[in-house]
Amino acid sequence: MIDETHDYARTSWVECANGHGEFPIQNLPFGVFSPGQERPRGGVAIGDQILDLAKAAASALLAGEAKIAAEAAAAATLNSFLALPAAARRALRRRLSDLLAAGAAEAGEVKTWLYSARDCTMHLPASIGDYTDFYAGIHHALNVGKQFRPDNPLLPNYKHVPIGYHGRASSIRVSGAEVRRPNGQRKAPDAEAPTFGPSQRVDLELELGIWVGQGNELGQPIPIGEASDHIAGLCLLNDWSARDLQAWEYQPLGPFLAKNFLTTISPWIVTTEALAPFRIAQAARPEGDPRPMDYLWDETDQASGGFALELEVFLSTRQMREQGLPAVRISQSAASHLYWTAAQMVAHHTAGGCDLRPGDLFGTGTISTPDDRGVGSLLELTRGGAQPITLPTGETRTFLQDGDELSLAGHARAEGRVSIGFGPCSGIVRG
Amino acid sequence: MIDETHDYARTSWVECANGHGEFPIQNLPFGVFSPGQERPRGGVAIGDQILDLAKAAASALLAGEAKIAAEAAAAATLNSFLALPAAARRALRRRLSDLLAAGAAEAGEVKTWLYSARDCTMHLPASIGDYTDFYAGIHHALNVGKQFRPDNPLLPNYKHVPIGYHGRASSIRVSGAEVRRPNGQRKAPDAEAPTFGPSQRVDLELELGIWVGQGNELGQPIPIGEASDHIAGLCLLNDWSARDLQAWEYQPLGPFLAKNFLTTISPWIVTTEALAPFRIAQAARPEGDPRPMDYLWDETDQASGGFALELEVFLSTRQMREQGLPAVRISQSAASHLYWTAAQMVAHHTAGGCDLRPGDLFGTGTISTPDDRGVGSLLELTRGGAQPITLPTGETRTFLQDGDELSLAGHARAEGRVSIGFGPCSGIVRG
């Protein structure tokens, strides 16, 4: 549904939003922030400002569904907001777009709802009931499969089942949280016994996060044709991974300590409404692959279930920062390399009756390109640590060292005119 | 710490509690209940009565730590109660034991806090932030390993790592919730392609649940010597499993739809205080097995980290119930067959920095005996469906059929005099 909120010619009286690479008036993502030391509440990013939804909810400028949505979003988490019908969320976004548009008569009052983002602290947008990590990046699955199972890189179920597993919700943090190198057990293939200590193979995983809006009752699957109404928006997600711990622990039930020490997300829910102009067919399923089973098949989803999103990974070492060198881009990928759509994930997750709740989070799995230009982990980029990369300082890296800062970035670009972004998703590794 | 609350000679003026097989005055488990249509609040089971902690909190009969604990437990979930220092929980239990003891002068007032359990609805004791399922039943791991990997039944990490994985929190329900047979993908080994439909291999898993009390901060592991203060109590847990879905989906990241359609628990938190007289050395680690690594080693835990608990599984088919036949016991196991202690699970879970939150739940993994008498799943009992069991009606079962009712029971018995139980943990399978 493309409407006036997507009009690329629309500008805002919030001047810094015009030409802003992440938060122009066409984006308007939702998050939770604290101005100074004040209590957390819902907000919307516009340029380098944050619009206070608690103030909006208390104003006479909102009515009907938009007001109900603002009232729900004025709380310290967005769970109640996400529980609303998608139509209410959309009504609020449309109203805010109008109020923030250049020439809006209400600008004087709305200006009093704005805070400089630099004076605010961002929080998790929602209390995350459950976090599920999928494995939909097929080139990542292939690359990793080659290392862990050379004879059998892509398992027979991969092209039939949107493989996913339950992740840890408690250790998800917004961008900026420090990455403490985890302790754990590891065992070299030729060692007699495992040892315990700090992971020597801390890695990133470049993923998208998918925020669940309205949930479903236990035992009531969400048909794929209705799945998109249950998806509120996206964020960036770094599924930090300790590869040495993972290799030793992951059989037979999957990764555990290797992943649950931290997951970092970008703080804003970039709505599916803002991303509506950037929907594309999922490109990663080549001709000749099995047709998705009926419960995963929907014509609209086949035609436009994917997202045209550019994804990047930047690395900056302590030495680089001391020398004033900018971060280097170590990966340039795109969401089009996902094998399964967000709607297919929702349909699969609930197919057996499992209930989703508003504010649940999915990870897509690591998104890698078929070539080396855009692999989403150092495990892939350095061939399991065998081929170090060299940085502008002459330093080399296989996995992350203490002091390294890792940042993800994501953008949807409309013919060079408007760019919609996700905000930061970064963390510095500490020993 | 054994005190007067464990005195086997102590009786209660609540007459039905004396000789009660599950809830004598020595138990006093915590849960959340609704009397009739009233709002949920914390309660304590005593015989076939439930003591209302909201009424207790409002009374002058409680003071100090006990009052603080009762106030926290008066809410609709026990999360705030579980977040208290263990000493506060213990103070409340001691005070309630005194108030309920035969001859207590306060009996007249306390009587007004009681409801007949039969007129009440039980709820989940806490909002479960994260659910983790361990795999500490070594005989189950061996039995299942033989079926899935005949050449390699027990993986090399098993005796070093308390293997666990993240489960689904949203689909946990208390006893009585119906078990809807899940849909999902399955593929026979000789089939060309998978099919989608109702699982034909719905199974139970006999487990204990472990309730987390106080949590820890991200990045701050809980040393094993302090772990027991973070464990509030136990429950029964049935990790319903769809074996056909599991076999097809579980590689490489573990079970997903095969487990997340429902997990049933008994509604009461049987406290570690009530179980204090039933602590034993964990028996399942034979001589010659590797010594647990330092972060998993604690002398007290080695000596008394286990629980002397009898566990049973009962099956009743629709036909059996129609013929007035009692449920048959299909398994008789014991918690002593766990390879890892609850404290080792806490220490391992947090070793890499992962944070636990009050009200988190662990499953121990399926608890099977070394022989056939007490295996904790039909997968084991019927050798993967190859050897059906015969029931008193002449019916046979490999896996569960629609109409089958499956119940778990757990008891700690003190020399035949006092028996502490968990309450029901059952569900009927529906197509």
Side-chain angles (χ1 to χ4, degrees), chain A residues 369-392:
Chain A
T369 53
D371 54 39
D372 267 7
R373 211 169 50 93
V375 291
S377 69
L378 289 167
L379 182 72
E380 294 162 85
L381 193 58
T382 69
R383 304 282 190 277
Q387 297 178 16
I389 55 170
T390 304
L391 300 170

Side-chain angles (χ1 to χ4, degrees), chain A residues 82 210-215 230-233 346 356-362:
Chain A
L82 293 167
I210 297 166
W211 287 100
V212 174
Q214 278 197 314
H230 295 265
I231 300 166
V346 167
L356 305 180
R357 295 176 292 189
D360 281 354
L361 183 67
F362 297 170

Side-chain angles (χ1 to χ4, degrees), chain A residues 129-130 132 157 160-161 166 168-170 173 182-183 185 195-196 248 251 257 261 293 295 348 352 354-355 360, chain B residues 129-130 157 160-161 166 168-170 173 182-183 185 195-196 248 251 257 261 293 295 348-349 352 355 360:
Chain A
D130 275 291
T132 300
N157 56 15
H160 300 276
V161 182
H166 303 296
R168 181 80 191 175
S170 72
R173 296 289 182 280
N183 282 319
Q185 290 189 31
T195 56
F196 181 82
W248 172 233
Q251 288 278 23
L257 292 196
F261 60 99
M293 294 174 100
Y295 79 104
H348 181 68
C354 181
D355 52 334
D360 281 354
Chain B
D130 276 290
N157 57 15
H160 300 277
V161 182
H166 304 295
R168 182 79 190 174
S170 72
R173 296 290 183 276
N183 283 318
Q185 291 189 30
T195 56
F196 181 83
W248 172 234
Q251 288 276 22
L257 292 196
F261 59 99
M293 294 175 101
Y295 79 103
H348 182 69
H349 204 315
D355 52 334
D360 282 355

Side-chain angles (χ1 to χ4, degrees), chain A residues 236-250:
Chain A
L236 301 170
L237 187 150
N238 187 345
D239 180 26
W240 304 99
S241 299
R243 299 301 180 191
D244 38 1
L245 278 50
Q246 184 177 356
W248 172 233
E249 77 174 1
Y250 94 106

Side-chain angles (χ1 to χ4, degrees), chain A residues 186-313:
Chain A
R186 55 184 189 274
K187 184 182 159 304
D190 54 348
E192 230 175 75
T195 56
F196 181 82
S199 167
Q200 300 304 305
R201 297 186 149 222
V202 172
D203 197 358
L204 74 132
E205 291 201 324
L206 167 66
E207 305 194 18
L208 283 171
I210 297 166
W211 287 100
V212 174
Q214 278 197 314
N216 62 305
E217 293 299 316
L218 189 68
Q220 302 289 341
I222 298 174
I224 186 158
E226 297 170 19
S228 61
D229 269 351
H230 295 265
I231 300 166
L234 306 184
C235 64
L236 301 170
L237 187 150
N238 187 345
D239 180 26
W240 304 99
S241 299
R243 299 301 180 191
D244 38 1
L245 278 50
Q246 184 177 356
W248 172 233
E249 77 174 1
Y250 94 106
Q251 288 278 23
L253 297 176
F256 187 54
L257 292 196
K259 303 270 194 177
N260 69 12
F261 60 99
L262 182 70
T263 302
T264 300
I265 59 173
S266 56
W268 296 102
I269 301 178
V270 175
T271 65
T272 45
E273 289 75 40
L275 294 171
F278 306 98
R279 301 305 294 255
I280 52 173
Q282 198 76 294
R285 182 179 289 266
E287 286 286 323
D289 273 12
R291 180 186 185 278
M293 294 174 100
D294 285 346
Y295 79 104
L296 299 172
W297 176 272
D298 176 76
E299 268 193 46
T300 307
D301 189 55
Q302 290 293 314
S304 57
F307 293 94
L309 283 171
E310 303 168 12
L311 303 171
E312 297 165 291
V313 181

